[in-house]
């Protein structure tokens, strides 16, 4: 099967889904020395989300933790993400480009509010194609960091911890068979 990490927002990501392949019972914490990432969507009215991801030895993306919450201001959301992140050190935090805009008359961007509240190394998920989703940009960053660390690229398989029910449901719904 193939995962289309370059899918535009709203496009199909998987060409198939198999619980036996994609869902894994994983330890709560990632392996030591793994390349770690957080992918953050700062929605307020819509769900705000943070997905914790690591690259395994084969270069596969493993989503091991998730947070989905609604109606939480950016500073409180950032503090919650930082607390759930324990003492893990991340290669990159990736967020939607909208985080760099002023919101509701607030001159301080969501990205700056994140920086001030425990997520200091947030990176703009920017792309030449503005319609590309955060996943497309995240995939490019994962691949570049994997190359820098000497991690082989496996073709982009993705695994999900059984403790990530929202993410699993979201991906199942985006699958066509």
């Amino acid at each position: 099967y193939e995962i289309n990490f370059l899918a535009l927002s709203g496009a199909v990501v998987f060409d198939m889904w198999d619980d036996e392949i994609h869902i894994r019972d994983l330890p709560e914490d990632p392996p030591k020395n793994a390349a770690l990432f957080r992918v953050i969507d700062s929605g307020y009215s819509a769900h705000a989300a943070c997905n914790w991801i690591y690259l395994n030895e084969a270069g596969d993306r493993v989503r091991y933790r998730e947070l989905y919450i609604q109606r939480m201001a950016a500073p409180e959301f950032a503090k919650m993400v930082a607390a759930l992140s324990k003492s893990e050190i991340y290669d990159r935090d990736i967020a939607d480009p909208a985080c760099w805009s002023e919101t509701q008359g607030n001159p301080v961007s969501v990205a700056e509010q994140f920086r001030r509240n425990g997520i200091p190394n947030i990176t703009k998920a920017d792309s030449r194609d503005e319609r590309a989703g955060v996943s497309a940009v995240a995939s490019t960053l994962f691949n570049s960091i994997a190359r820098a660390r000497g991690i082989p690229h496996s073709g982009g398989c993705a695994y999900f911890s059984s403790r990530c029910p929202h993410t699993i449901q979201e991906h199942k719904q985006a699958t066509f068979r």
Side-chain angles (χ1 to χ4, degrees), residues 30-158:
K32 290 184 181 192
N33 300 320
L36 302 179
F37 304 88
R38 290 181 291 205
V39 179
I40 302 168
D41 185 343
S42 65
Y44 178 78
S45 296
H47 283 93
C50 181
N51 287 284
W52 286 260
I53 300 167
Y54 69 84
L55 296 178
N56 68 13
E57 314 79 44
D60 301 318
R61 293 151 183 90
V62 181
R63 205 166 294 198
Y64 66 98
R65 190 181 299 141
E66 70 176 8
L67 172 65
Y68 282 75
I69 198 153
Q70 196 168 10
R71 300 208 180 280
M72 182 175 279
E76 287 72 29
F77 180 62
K79 289 173 188 173
M80 184 177 281
V81 167
L84 289 170
S85 299
K86 304 175 183 180
S87 61
E88 296 165 350
I89 304 205
Y90 298 90
D91 286 76
R92 201 68 60 92
D93 292 311
I94 306 159
D96 188 287
C99 287
W100 276 260
S101 303
E102 292 180 9
T103 56
Q104 301 168 348
N106 187 343
V108 179
S109 71
V110 169
E112 183 57 32
Q113 292 177 57
F114 282 1
R115 283 189 190 103
R116 293 176 183 178
N117 290 283
I119 305 176
N121 298 318
I122 196 156
T123 301
K124 185 185 235 180
D126 204 0
S127 173
R128 289 187 186 137
D129 185 342
E130 292 180 9
R131 299 173 301 157
V134 173
S135 294
V137 178
S139 180
T140 302
L141 291 171
F142 295 158
N143 292 339
S144 67
I145 289 174
R147 279 192 302 277
R149 284 181 166 226
I151 300 170
H153 188 279
S154 69
C157 199

